[in-house]
Amino acid sequence: MSLDLGPGPAAVIGRRAAPATVGARWWPRCAVPGVPALLALGLSLWGLSRQGAIWRDEAATWEVARRSIPEIWHMIGQVDVVHGLYYLLIHTAFEVFGANLAALRLPSALGAIVAAAATAAIGRRLAGPTAGLSAGLVLALLPVMQRYAQEGRSFTLVTAGVAVATWLLVGAVCPAGPTTSRDGRGRRAAWGWRWGGYTAVMLATALLNWLSLFALAAHGVTVLIAWRTGQRPLLARWLMSAAVIAAGTLPLILASLPQADQVAWIQPASAVTLLGVTAMLGVALACARVPRPARTELSPVPVGLPLLAVPQLGLLLASWLVKPLYVDRYVLFAYIGLALLVGPAIAWAVRAALPYGRARGWGWLRGEMLLAGLVAVVFIALLPLELGLRNPESRTDDVRVTADKVAELARPGDGVLYVPDQRRDAALVTPAEFNGLDDLALAEDPVASGTLYGVEATPERIRAAMLAHRRIIVVSDIVPSPAPSAPRDLTKLTVLARHFTLTVSAETGGRRVMVYEKTR
């Protein structure tokens, strides 16, 4: 039994969609979302632990999720409110499964699986089973999706939310199958649950990360296109949903604005970033021009192109007008749009290749064989990159390796300093490795202060504490931050230069661990 390589499940007769062909009903309905989901599952679980490595962003999740709910609530009132719902989710996972790397990362893996399946379902409804299957496979194979499917952060969960919301929206715009044959009451009920589901899913996604509202704007473009083609009630329904979503997210947005200094580390978009976005949009536009086998109520172009372009260009514009904000993972969900455009192009290529192969006597050749072969070729071509992503050294740093080096070099009674204070995360994730060391700068610990890294003492107190020790361990970055050093960090560096001698310097886990001994 094979996939339907014909015009897809929604060939238009006038303004209404004809039901899907009998052969395209149950098998593609299971295979189209199921195969990409299985591929995403395999890629997500492959090397999930990265040999126990945890990089700095995951370290923040790990440390916060182990706090109690009142402690998390206390913290998000001061920092990281934008990730508050995600921290509560991982806290629940830790409570159920224990604090371990699997519990930290499996929600992200689940997000990638759902995103691939939902993207395939969207593509099937818009352009047929082969296009849908191809779109889901494209999303699962993207290296950027493979990376964030294995990190303890919210980005693939947000992507999954956007994918499911887009599927619900497309279902409301172009219902297919039995829905179209219902009476007016049945059709209204179907529309009702789709719009209600869309509103709920999109609101939950925005509460996970409110930058996903760029997807809401992209959906607005899609609805406007459908509205201009004659589907008049759509715009009013979408505006009602958008108003509820925006109102529900507004408190989170307002609460996060005073915490904007947390993204001060983001640099203006580089020429390489701009070139990458331009190339991606160029590929999308080229795929948008690929012929489609039949006209449908809504094609992949008005769904996929806004979903790719609006978040990418919107975040770049905000970075230019307001402050630097562009980081690709913040708009990871935009890759759904890319997959929805590339997938139908692959399906068209498969359809075009079949007659050619059969004309050469390959009567056994089938579309799914070509698609499976293409997936295998892409997987092999990406294998060096995929292996690199699962290497412990693939991220910026590794707090556990850093902690091991500190434990190796330290002696009981030594002092320890972190420059900047964010490097204290190594001690927060693996406190046992820092037993017996005196944190010379810490005045109030992270939990009590409701912060990520604690509150440090005044420069004068730090100086006095340093001079009271003969040996100090310093944990720092290999490459110093380009941002101006804080007064406390300047004090640390000045006292070390004047009163201590560097005796050991080791680069490990993407960080530098140094030992200083007092000279006089």
Side-chain angles (χ1 to χ4, degrees):
M1 192 172 294
S2 62
L3 294 174
D4 179 14
L5 293 173
V12 167
I13 302 175
R15 285 288 179 186
R16 295 173 60 84
T21 59
V22 173
R25 286 190 179 182
W26 71 272
W27 163 239
R29 285 186 184 277
C30 297
V32 170
V35 173
L38 287 174
L39 178 61
L41 173 64
L43 292 173
S44 298
L45 296 183
W46 171 33
L48 183 67
S49 69
R50 290 202 311 277
Q51 300 178 35
I54 298 181
W55 81 292
R56 63 183 65 172
D57 280 13
E58 292 182 298
T61 303
W62 177 278
E63 196 273 323
V64 174
R66 295 179 68 184
R67 303 183 190 186
S68 67
I69 291 178
E71 289 168 347
I72 295 174
W73 185 258
H74 176 45
M75 189 207 75
I76 63 176
Q78 303 181 69
V79 293
D80 252 8
V81 67
V82 69
H83 297 302
L85 181 58
Y86 177 70
Y87 288 147
L88 292 172
L89 174 64
I90 302 302
H91 169 83
T92 302
F94 281 2
E95 288 291 312
V96 175
F97 302 107
N100 55 70
L101 284 179
L104 177 70
R105 292 175 179 159
L106 280 177
S108 295
L110 179 61
I113 295 165
V114 173
T119 300
I122 297 166
R124 181 191 186 282
R125 175 155 290 188
L126 294 174
T130 307
L133 179 60
S134 301
L137 293 171
V138 166
L139 189 70
L141 282 168
L142 284 175
V144 69
M145 283 297 298
Q146 294 188 48
R147 169 177 178 160
Y148 294 112
Q150 296 190 327
E151 290 191 4
R153 299 299 274 179
S154 65
F155 305 112
T156 57
L157 288 173
V158 172
T159 303
V162 171
V164 172
T166 305
W167 174 72
L168 290 166
L169 177 69
V170 169
V173 173
C174 51
T179 303
T180 57
S181 63
R182 293 177 180 174
D183 58 18
R185 181 180 301 175
R187 189 177 299 114
R188 283 194 299 271
W191 277 337
W193 79 258
R194 286 193 177 101
W195 282 111
Y198 171 78
T199 304
V201 171
M202 202 64 218
L203 177 57
T205 303
L207 293 176
L208 269 175
N209 192 321
W210 61 262
L211 287 177
S212 62
L213 291 177
F214 279 119
L216 183 67
H219 291 162
V221 175
T222 299
V223 169
L224 187 60
I225 293 171
W227 176 76
R228 287 176 61 85
T229 61
Q231 300 191 54
R232 297 300 177 184
L234 287 176
L235 185 58
R237 293 189 177 105
W238 179 83
L239 286 173
M240 290 176 60
S241 292
V244 173
I245 296 163
T249 313
L250 184 60
L252 176 63
I253 297 173
L254 295 177
S256 65
L257 292 179
Q259 301 176 6
D261 287 345
Q262 284 191 269
V263 292
W265 58 271
I266 301 177
Q267 300 298 307
S270 65
V272 173
T273 297
L274 295 175
L275 184 62
V277 172
T278 302
M280 187 163 51
L281 291 174
V283 169
L285 289 171
C287 291
R289 297 185 62 83
V290 170
R292 292 182 297 280
R295 181 177 176 272
T296 57
E297 285 185 336
L298 196 63
S299 77
V301 176
V303 177
L305 194 56
L307 195 52
L308 172 64
V310 171
Q312 295 281 351
L313 298 180
L315 192 59
L316 284 171
L317 182 62
S319 299
W320 180 55
L321 295 177
V322 183
K323 62 183 302 181
L325 287 172
Y326 185 87
V327 181
D328 63 346
R329 59 182 178 267
Y330 291 174
V331 286
L332 184 65
F333 52 85
Y335 289 95
I336 299 169
L338 180 65
L340 289 174
L341 294 168
V342 175
I346 293 174
W348 171 81
V350 168
R351 281 191 296 268
L354 280 176
Y356 174 79
R358 288 167 180 166
R360 295 177 65 89
W362 302 341
W364 47 267
L365 189 64
R366 301 171 75 169
E368 50 266 45
M369 294 179 184
L370 285 175
L371 192 56
L374 181 59
V375 169
V377 169
V378 172
F379 176 81
I380 293 171
L382 292 175
L383 190 57
L385 182 57
E386 292 168 333
L387 290 172
L389 287 173
R390 289 156 178 85
N391 191 294
E393 289 80 32
S394 61
R395 280 22 175 214
T396 303
D397 50 19
D398 182 355
V399 301
R400 292 197 171 186
V401 172
T402 301
D404 290 341
K405 178 57 68 173
V406 170
E408 175 188 330
L409 297 176
R411 300 173 186 169
D414 284 352
V416 61
L417 290 172
Y418 306 94
V419 184
D421 66 338
Q422 290 95 326
R423 300 297 79 82
R424 187 173 281 108
D425 55 5
L428 299 175
V429 171
T430 55
E433 306 294 347
F434 291 78
N435 284 343
L437 299 183
D438 185 10
D439 192 333
L440 303 179
L442 188 64
E444 191 175 8
D445 69 77
V447 174
S449 62
T451 60
L452 286 172
Y453 308 108
V455 175
E456 295 199 333
T458 63
E460 293 76 16
R461 291 185 60 184
I462 293 174
R463 182 179 187 278
M466 292 175 66
L467 293 176
H469 285 72
R470 297 200 58 82
R471 200 167 183 271
I472 296 176
I473 309 293
V474 178
V475 180
S476 186
D477 293 319
I478 292 177
V479 179
S481 172
S485 296
R488 294 174 177 84
D489 291 340
L490 288 173
T491 297
K492 298 171 191 175
L493 298 175
T494 300
V495 174
L496 288 171
R498 291 180 179 177
H499 302 283
F500 291 81
T501 299
L502 177 64
T503 59
V504 179
S505 179
E507 294 182 6
T508 181
R511 297 183 180 181
R512 189 184 300 276
V513 180
M514 296 167 283
V515 179
Y516 283 85
E517 296 189 10
K518 199 171 186 181
T519 54
R520 61 180 186 274

